[in-house]
Amino acid sequence: MTLDAASLFSLEGRVAVLTGASGFLGRTMSAALLANGARVVALGRSDRLDDMAGEWASVYGADRVAAHRVDLSDEEAMRSVLSSVLASESRVDVLVNNAHEIGPDSGFNVPEGALDRFGREQWLRHVGGGLWWAALTTQILGGRMRELGGGSIVNVSSMYGLVAPSPELYEGTPFVNPAGYSAAKAAMLALTRYTASFWGAEGVRANALVPGPFSNTENSGPNAVEPGDPFLERLRHRTTLGRVGLPGELVGPLLFLASDASSYVNGHALVVDGGWTIV
């Protein structure tokens, strides 16, 4: 095996499919995969996706980028898009399951997601939106990896799949950390281990990226926060580094799991949380 780091982390000539590509972490992850040689097939529902894909194509070339706008809550549309991906791409080498679809009326600022208030519909939306779509893309696109003898699946979980959120963090804020979100992110880790166990011998590695608190001040959506927001201050004081993460700080861990640099790593949960979960 080569000892050259650039070669180990290179994704030159590989095809990477990423869901949630237009989210604030997804944008950075997509750009990182492109910058390190991959052809990126970006899936997302935001209006920003087409503009982002155009920007990437102008930098890296139109042959390096494909974008599919799709709402993950529409299973028929999602299956159709995945079929299109298989028809247009001769290979799939990397799958990044980043999307977490919980619906427009059940986000982190809606009280119905709280433990004492959610109903069956909200629970299924949170758990299913965080897990079903990852399972579906793994089944369909991971199947192509198996046919070709290997690939890398990176499932994006959360520190809240490892530890419970602290209620005091949310007191006096418009945010609620839904009970179903934690359940889904913990289940994502289990799905990762299951996939790694059953498909590892066929060359398909599955690992999890486990982010901690990351600033989404660039996000214009309903969960956006402003720099200096008291909620961010609470979050940063809980990490051993004394700050929240920046999206670019996921690039190294993502490339490690996606590339040959982690060729003997399977079923692992790589935690990137500023030390939140160690104390």
Side-chain angles (χ1 to χ4, degrees):
M1 174 175 284
T2 179
L3 299 180
D4 176 60
S7 297
L8 280 175
F9 283 85
S10 174
L11 297 173
E12 193 71 33
R14 302 186 189 185
V15 176
V17 180
L18 185 141
T19 66
S22 52
F24 82 104
L25 293 181
R27 295 197 301 269
T28 298
M29 289 191 282
S30 298
L33 296 169
L34 279 163
N36 286 274
R39 168 175 162 80
V40 171
V41 181
L43 277 57
R45 67 177 183 176
S46 170
D47 295 341
R48 297 188 301 266
L49 185 65
D50 293 336
D51 291 338
M52 288 163 45
E55 293 174 8
W56 294 334
S58 68
V59 175
Y60 299 104
D63 62 331
R64 294 276 307 282
V65 183
H68 299 270
R69 284 187 58 190
V70 59
D71 188 338
L72 292 185
S73 64
D74 186 338
E75 182 170 348
E76 182 178 353
M78 187 63 178
R79 286 185 178 275
S80 177
V81 163
L82 294 176
S83 295
S84 296
V85 171
L86 289 180
S88 61
E89 306 297 331
S90 61
R91 57 188 302 118
V92 175
D93 303 284
V94 178
L95 168 61
V96 182
N97 282 313
N98 173 58
H100 185 94
E101 172 59 50
I102 56 178
D105 58 346
S106 59
F108 287 84
N109 55 348
V110 177
E112 281 70 20
L115 183 61
D116 58 343
R117 302 183 67 170
F118 69 78
R120 182 175 184 274
E121 180 181 351
Q122 287 81 15
W123 177 261
L124 293 177
R125 183 176 298 164
H126 281 271
V127 176
L131 190 64
W132 166 239
W133 307 112
L136 181 65
T137 54
T138 294
Q139 182 183 74
I140 294 176
L141 300 184
R144 172 62 59 85
M145 293 181 179
R146 295 173 71 196
E147 293 173 1
L148 297 176
S152 174
I153 298 173
V154 181
N155 292 323
V156 180
S157 181
S158 165
M159 65 182 185
Y160 286 148
L162 297 172
V163 297
S166 299
E168 64 270 15
L169 289 175
Y170 300 91
E171 291 178 359
T173 77
F175 304 111
V176 172
N177 192 289
Y181 178 82
S182 291
K185 290 304 186 180
M188 184 74 87
L189 298 176
L191 175 64
T192 299
R193 293 189 290 268
Y194 188 99
T195 306
S197 177
F198 276 77
W199 288 359
E202 299 178 67
V204 178
R205 297 185 298 110
N207 293 287
L209 191 61
V210 186
F214 277 77
S215 172
N216 61 346
T217 55
E218 296 178 4
N219 181 12
S220 60
N223 299 325
V225 293
E226 296 297 326
D229 184 278
F231 184 60
L232 277 184
E233 291 298 300
R234 293 181 187 181
L235 292 179
R236 77 174 184 85
H237 284 301
R238 287 294 302 272
T239 72
T240 60
L241 293 181
R243 63 180 179 84
V244 298
L246 300 174
E249 292 178 299
L250 279 176
V251 169
L254 171 66
L255 293 177
F256 171 69
L257 294 179
S259 70
D260 290 342
S262 60
S263 59
Y264 199 53
V265 179
N266 194 32
H268 180 65
L270 179 51
V271 182
V272 189
D273 68 351
W276 183 295
T277 57
I278 68 170
V279 294

